[in-house]
C-alpha cells in the first residue's frame, strides 16, 4: 500500500498554517497594497477591493496546498494561470507582483512574532519566488485545445461553436450524425467532448465567454452524454466493479463521468457518484458493491488535500485492504509524482488510459 512518506512534516505544518490563517494574511496584504498603490481604489473601487481580497485568499490557499504536497509545480501552474487570466481582464501584472511581494512581508512578520519559524519562511519564500519568476516570461498566449488539422478537429470546433451560440439541439444532432457515419462513442468522447471542454475552460480564462456560458456548454454536453448512455451498455461483463467520483464540491464532473462510461463500455460494472458525496457514503458504496477499484478525480489543485483525506479514510476502512485507488485530473497531469504523494495506487491522464492501466493491473 503506497504511503505518503516523502512529504516532510515541515511542509505539512507550514501549509496548514497558511490554510488556517488564510483570511488574516490576505486581509493584511490587501490593506497594505491599497495603501501603497492608492490608484487601485480609484480604478476599481470598493468592489475591486473585495475581488482583490478574494484573489489574495486564493493565492495563499494555493500556496498552502502546494507546500503541503511538496509540489512547486502546482503553484507555478496556478501562477501562470492567474497571469493569463489577469492579462485578459486588462489588469496589469505589476499589481499581482506587488501582491505576492507583500504576502512575503506579512508572512515574515508572522515569523518575527514567533508564529512560524525561519525554516518555515525559507520554504514559503522558495515557492513565492518561483511564482514570481513565472512573470519574467512575457508570453500570455494560450493556444486552442482544438486542433482542426486532426481527424475530428473540424467537428470538435463545429460542435463547440454550436453550443457557444446556444444551439444545443443542433449540437446533439451533430453528435448523432457522426455516430451514424461510423464514429465510436469513445471517438466522440476523446476527440470531441474532451478537447471542447478543455477549450471552454481556456475561453473563460481568456475572457472570451462568461461563467454562465461555460456552465451552459458543460451542462449541454452532459445532457448529450445522457442520451448516449443507453448505447454504451454492454452485455459482456468482466466481473470487475469500479466506483468513480470527484472530490468534495467540485463542479467539474464531466471528466470523471467520461471515465466511468469508458469502464462501462469495457465490461466493468461502473457506479458514477459525481460530486458532493460524503466520504462515509463512498466507503459504504465500495463495501456494498465489493468494488475492486475506486477512481477519484480532482480538477483544481486547491482540492487535492480533500482527495488525500478521502484516500486516508478509504485506507483506514475495514475490509478494503484489496481495493485499489486511482486518481486523475489536471493536478496529476502536471505533477507526475503527485499520485504517490496522496497515497494512490494508480494514475492516468484520460479515460482511455485509465481503463488500460486498470485492466493491466487486474489481469
Amino acid at each position: 500500500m503506497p504511503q505518503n512518506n516523502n512529504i516532510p512534516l515541515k511542509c505539512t505544518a507550514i501549509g496548514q498554517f497558511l490554510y488556517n490563517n488564510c483570511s488574516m494574511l490576505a486581509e493584511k496584504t490587501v490593506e497594505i497594497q491599497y495603501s501603497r498603490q492608492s490608484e487601485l481604489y480609484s480604478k476599481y473601487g470598493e468592489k475591486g477591493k473585495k475581488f482583490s481580497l478574494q484573489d489574495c485568499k486564493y493565492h495563499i490557499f494555493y500556496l498552502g496546498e502546494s507546500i503541503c504536497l511538496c509540489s512547486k509545480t502546482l503553484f507555478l501552474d496556478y501562477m501562470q494561470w492567474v497571469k493569463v487570466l489577469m492579462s485578459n481582464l486588462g489588469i496589469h501584472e505589476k499589481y499581482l507582483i506587488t501582491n505576492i511581494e507583500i504576502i512575503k512581508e506579512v508572512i515574515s512578520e508572522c515569523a518575527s512574532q514567533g508564529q512560524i519559524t525561519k525554516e518555515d519562511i525559507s520554504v514559503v519564500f522558495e515557492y513565492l519566488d518561483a511564482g514570481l519568476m513565472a512573470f519574467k516570461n512575457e508570453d500570455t498566449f494560450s493556444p486552442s485545445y482544438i486542433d482542426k488539422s486532426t481527424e475530428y478537429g473540424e467537428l470538435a470546433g463545429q460542435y463547440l461553436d454550436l453550443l457557444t451560440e446556444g444551439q444545443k439541439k443542433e449540437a446533439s444532432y451533430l453528435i448523432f450524425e457522426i455516430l451514424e457515419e461510423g464514429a465510436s462513442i469513445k471517438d466522440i468522447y476523446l476527440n470531441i467532448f474532451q478537447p471542447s471542454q478543455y477549450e471552454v475552460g481556456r475561453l473563460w480564462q481568456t475572457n472570451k465567454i462568461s461563467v454562465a456560458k461555460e456552465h451552459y456548454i458543460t451542462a449541454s454536453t452532459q445532457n448529450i452524454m445522457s442520451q448516449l448512455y443507453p448505447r454504451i451498455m454492454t452485455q459482456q461483463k468482466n466481473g470487475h466493479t469500479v466506483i468513480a467520483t470527484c472530490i468534495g464540491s467540485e463542479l467539474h464532473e464531466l471528466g470523471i463521468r467520461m471515465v466511468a462510461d469508458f469502464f462501462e463500455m469495457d465490461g466493468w460494472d461502473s457506479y458514477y457518484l459525481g460530486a458532493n458525496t460524503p466520504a462515509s457514503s463512498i466507503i459504504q458504496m465500495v463495501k456494498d458493491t465489493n468494488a475492486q477499484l475506486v477512481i477519484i478525480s480532482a480538477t483544481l489543485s486547491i482540492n487535492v488535500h480533500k482527495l488525500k483525506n478521502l484516500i486516508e479514510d478509504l485506507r483506514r476502512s475495514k475490509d478494503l485492504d484489496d481495493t485499489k485507488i486511482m486518481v486523475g485530473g489536471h493536478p496529476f497531469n502536471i505533477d507526475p509524482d503527485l499520485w504517490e504523494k496522496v497515497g494512490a495506487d494508480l494514475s492516468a491522464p484520460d479515460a482511455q488510459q485509465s481503463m488500460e492501466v486498470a485492466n493491466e493491473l487486474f489481469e
Side-chain angles (χ1 to χ4, degrees):
M1 182 185 300
Q3 295 295 324
N4 189 25
N5 294 327
N6 55 344
I7 299 180
L9 289 175
K10 67 177 182 180
C11 289
T12 302
I14 184 58
Q16 199 65 50
F17 173 81
L18 294 170
Y19 289 156
N20 295 340
N21 296 278
C22 180
S23 294
M24 177 271 291
L25 296 170
E27 286 167 7
K28 284 188 175 181
T29 299
V30 171
E31 286 301 326
I32 294 171
Q33 182 166 9
Y34 267 69
S35 66
R36 290 183 188 172
Q37 295 176 312
S38 55
E39 74 275 13
L40 280 170
Y41 204 88
S42 58
K43 278 186 176 183
Y44 305 112
E46 191 63 35
K47 185 177 180 181
K49 190 174 182 181
K50 289 180 181 178
F51 280 121
S52 295
L53 179 60
Q54 176 180 293
D55 291 342
C56 190
K57 287 178 181 179
Y58 275 121
H59 304 337
I60 295 168
F61 207 91
Y62 270 94
L63 174 64
E65 185 83 348
S66 302
I67 291 175
C68 256
L69 296 164
C70 274
S71 178
K72 201 178 295 178
T73 303
L74 290 182
F75 189 63
L76 291 175
D77 178 72
Y78 168 71
M79 291 298 290
Q80 188 60 39
W81 181 86
V82 170
K83 179 182 178 180
V84 173
L85 177 65
M86 296 298 184
S87 174
N88 284 279
L89 289 173
I91 299 173
H92 199 285
E93 67 180 39
K94 69 179 181 182
Y95 295 121
L96 182 56
I97 292 172
T98 299
N99 186 266
I100 299 300
E101 289 172 342
I102 296 174
I103 289 174
K104 291 176 66 175
E105 292 178 25
V106 171
I107 292 175
S108 292
E109 184 182 338
C110 292
S112 67
Q113 296 172 352
Q115 294 175 275
I116 52 177
T117 67
K118 289 184 178 180
E119 189 179 10
D120 292 333
I121 287 288
S122 66
V123 173
V124 174
F125 280 18
E126 182 183 338
Y127 277 69
L128 288 173
D129 288 340
L132 286 170
M133 287 292 290
F135 289 90
K136 290 195 172 181
N137 176 12
E138 296 182 1
D139 184 18
T140 56
F141 174 70
S142 179
S144 174
Y145 286 98
I146 294 177
D147 182 357
K148 294 190 176 181
S149 67
T150 61
E151 181 180 2
Y152 290 93
E154 289 287 347
L155 291 168
Q158 187 180 349
Y159 172 77
L160 184 55
D161 287 343
L162 287 170
L163 289 182
T164 302
E165 294 163 6
Q167 299 182 52
K168 180 171 63 176
K169 185 182 295 184
E170 289 76 4
S172 179
Y173 288 158
L174 175 66
I175 294 302
F176 280 90
E177 183 180 335
I178 297 168
L179 272 177
E180 294 303 320
E181 291 175 356
S184 69
I185 293 178
K186 288 183 178 181
D187 288 334
I188 290 170
Y189 273 33
L190 288 177
N191 301 304
I192 295 181
F193 291 162
Q194 181 171 284
S196 66
Q197 280 304 123
Y198 287 157
E199 182 64 3
V200 166
R202 188 191 73 86
L203 291 173
W204 175 81
Q205 182 191 20
T206 54
N207 204 32
K208 300 293 194 304
I209 62 172
S210 66
V211 172
K213 181 68 73 174
E214 179 194 17
H215 288 181
Y216 169 80
I217 293 170
T218 301
S220 297
T221 296
Q222 288 176 318
N223 180 265
I224 295 170
M225 288 171 66
S226 297
Q227 295 174 47
L228 293 172
Y229 190 76
R231 301 192 181 207
I232 75 171
M233 302 298 290
T234 175
Q235 298 301 316
Q236 187 175 356
K237 294 295 183 180
N238 62 18
H240 296 314
T241 300
V242 60
I243 302 290
T245 188
C246 52
I247 198 64
S249 58
E250 278 212 6
L251 299 177
H252 303 85
E253 301 177 59
L254 196 144
I256 189 65
R257 181 171 175 181
M258 286 175 58
V259 171
D261 286 358
F262 263 66
F263 276 79
E264 190 73 40
M265 285 185 273
D266 199 56
W268 290 62
D269 284 318
S270 70
Y271 292 82
Y272 164 67
L273 306 185
N276 281 320
T277 306
S280 58
S281 297
I282 294 172
I283 292 167
Q284 190 60 51
M285 178 66 86
V286 177
K287 292 180 179 180
D288 290 346
T289 60
N290 195 28
Q292 291 89 4
L293 179 65
V294 180
I295 306 178
I296 313 168
S297 170
T299 302
L300 305 175
S301 59
I302 202 171
N303 288 326
V304 174
H305 70 285
K306 297 177 183 176
L307 180 147
K308 180 171 169 287
N309 291 340
L310 174 56
I311 290 177
E312 290 171 354
D313 288 341
L314 286 163
R315 297 296 191 200
R316 283 193 295 264
S317 299
K318 292 178 64 176
D319 305 323
L320 297 185
D321 290 345
D322 296 329
T323 303
K324 300 300 181 184
I325 300 173
M326 178 184 286
V327 292
H330 179 70
F332 300 96
N333 291 344
I334 62 171
D335 184 344
D337 299 323
L338 188 60
W339 66 276
E340 293 182 288
K341 295 176 183 177
V342 299
D345 298 295
L346 309 159
S347 183
D350 61 29
Q352 178 67 35
Q353 292 185 59
S354 296
M355 185 188 68
E356 291 171 359
V357 167
N359 283 334
E360 184 178 342
L361 175 68
F362 286 98
E363 281 174 359

